[in-house]
Amino acid sequence: MPRHLWTSLNRLRCGVGCFKSSMKKWGLSDSLIPSTFGVILRTTDKLVWANEFESIELTCLIESISTNNPRIEWKKIKNGVPSYVYFQNRISGDLEDRAQLREPANIVIFNATRADTAEYRCEVAAIDDQRDFDEILISLAVRVKPVVPRCSVPVAVTVGTSPELRCLENEGFPASQYSWFHNKEELPQDPKTSPKFINSSYTINVDTGSLKFRRVRKEDAGEYYCQAKNDAGYAHCPSQPMEVYDIDILGILLKAFAGLVALICIAVGICHAHRHGCFSSKDHTENNYKLPAQDDGVEYGDPDEGHFRHKSSFVI
């Protein structure tokens, strides 16, 4: 056989091993090795959103590899602390009963919860490849539907005052945006954009849930409720009435009640003082003694005279 044909045949038999040896002999970096001789991973999305209680798949695609049975691992990184999700060919950790590995290296999470929000790292080790290790990081954020918000609506206000209606919920993720409804009709954020509300003077803060009137009108009376909404869903509080009066009836009633209480307290104080004799008028310095009564038949004379005389004659 001609020498050049023999050399070509040996090169074909040598294959990848000879190529690796040649690269090392010439001191070339692994980064210059073609991808067919190293494990390379990719994912369809590095930032994944999922709704709570739904299923989500995190993709770890192997673009190239020569090793037949690579070692595949998944780790969950929460607050900077890693823990195993898939290790030694089995699901572990808090996803043990809620996840499975799907070929080639994807992981599916069933019934996702807010606790699953974290970073997940797919790692593949291929001992027969020149580039024998690769990893890819995926961020998972689980959306949480808002709960029924807590709403505060004043029962009665006076025309011209500045009441504020409040709405808040703390469970939704991402944070909820708020809107208000008046008599089942949504209030526009800017009342000037609607002919129906153009005379209203309110402002709505969609981030805090505040509805504040600058000067409330009689037309603003009615039923109010608030809605909290995010990408996972929405929830609203029960409708609550707000009355708008021309005068401050509530203030008048409170003042009248306060006056009545004051009168009762004064009356009780007077009765208590009278019962303890604080109003009796006795002159302790007055001489209440009387002189002894004298007999009208005898007139006593001057003790210095040594005798007495009859004031009238005896009748014999």
Side-chain angles (χ1 to χ4, degrees):
M1 180 181 294
R3 184 179 181 82
H4 67 280
L5 291 178
W6 180 259
T7 303
S8 299
L9 181 61
N10 287 335
R11 287 179 179 176
L12 289 174
R13 290 174 179 173
C14 179
V16 174
C18 293
F19 183 82
K20 291 180 180 179
S21 300
S22 300
M23 295 295 290
K24 291 181 179 180
K25 179 179 178 181
W26 292 100
L28 298 177
S29 172
D30 289 349
S31 61
L32 299 177
I33 300 176
S35 61
T36 54
F37 302 123
V39 56
I40 294 180
L41 306 179
R42 70 176 180 90
T43 183
T44 56
D45 198 348
K46 289 189 175 183
L47 177 58
V48 180
W49 286 88
N51 291 336
E52 192 172 31
F53 309 125
E54 295 182 359
S55 299
I56 187 65
E57 184 173 359
L58 307 181
T59 60
C60 181
L61 306 176
I62 303 175
E63 285 198 326
S64 68
I65 197 168
S66 298
T67 302
N68 291 327
N69 295 307
R71 188 180 78 248
I72 300 173
E73 293 179 358
W74 277 89
K75 292 184 176 72
K76 176 182 179 180
I77 305 171
K78 187 90 169 180
N79 299 323
V81 179
S83 60
Y84 280 109
V85 172
Y86 183 79
F87 180 66
Q88 293 183 344
N89 301 321
R90 61 182 296 269
I91 301 293
S92 60
D94 55 359
L95 292 175
E96 184 174 3
D97 299 322
R98 295 189 296 114
Q100 72 176 34
L101 190 74
R102 181 172 294 175
E103 296 294 339
N106 296 353
I107 193 165
V108 181
I109 300 175
F110 304 103
N111 195 26
T113 69
R114 64 194 70 187
D116 296 331
T117 296
E119 290 186 321
Y120 292 81
R121 188 169 66 215
C122 174
E123 302 175 356
V124 176
I127 58 174
D128 294 333
D129 286 57
Q130 179 67 23
R131 180 183 176 184
D132 59 4
F133 179 82
D134 196 12
E135 65 180 23
I136 196 162
L137 193 65
I138 301 171
S139 296
L140 172 63
V142 179
R143 290 183 288 250
V144 180
K145 180 181 176 181
V147 297
V148 174
R150 301 183 300 276
C151 298
S152 174
V153 178
V155 176
V157 295
T158 308
V159 171
T161 57
S162 303
E164 183 177 5
L165 286 65
R166 295 184 175 88
C167 177
L168 183 65
E169 73 88 27
N170 296 319
E171 297 294 324
F173 181 81
S176 295
Q177 298 282 291
Y178 300 94
S179 56
W180 279 93
F181 290 76
H182 175 234
N183 294 334
K184 298 183 179 181
E185 183 175 357
E186 184 174 358
L187 294 173
Q189 291 188 25
D190 184 0
K192 305 304 179 185
T193 61
S194 172
K196 187 172 183 178
F197 300 100
I198 193 170
N199 294 323
S200 297
S201 60
Y202 65 80
T203 56
I204 297 178
N205 190 319
V206 297
D207 296 320
T208 64
S210 169
L211 167 61
K212 185 173 180 60
F213 290 90
R214 187 170 59 86
R215 291 180 61 85
V216 72
R217 307 173 303 145
K218 289 280 291 183
E219 293 78 6
D220 295 321
E223 298 280 335
Y224 285 86
Y225 71 87
C226 166
Q227 176 179 276
K229 184 178 181 180
N230 65 9
D231 293 338
Y234 64 90
H236 62 79
C237 62
S239 181
Q240 302 178 46
M242 184 180 78
E243 298 293 335
V244 180
Y245 296 101
D246 288 324
I247 57 175
D248 189 4
I249 295 179
L250 181 61
I252 293 174
L253 292 176
L254 289 176
K255 290 179 181 178
F257 179 75
L260 179 62
V261 171
L263 289 176
I264 293 174
C265 291
I266 292 174
V268 170
I270 292 175
C271 292
H272 181 75
H274 183 72
R275 184 177 300 173
H276 287 76
C278 294
F279 295 99
S280 61
S281 56
K282 292 182 179 181
D283 187 1
H284 297 289
T285 60
E286 180 182 356
N287 186 2
N288 294 325
Y289 295 101
K290 295 182 179 179
L291 294 174
Q294 296 181 356
D295 188 354
D296 291 339
V298 179
E299 181 180 355
Y300 293 92
D302 189 343
D304 294 335
E305 296 179 358
H307 66 279
F308 64 93
R309 63 175 178 270
H310 291 282
K311 187 176 181 179
S312 60
S313 59
F314 289 97
V315 179
I316 300 177

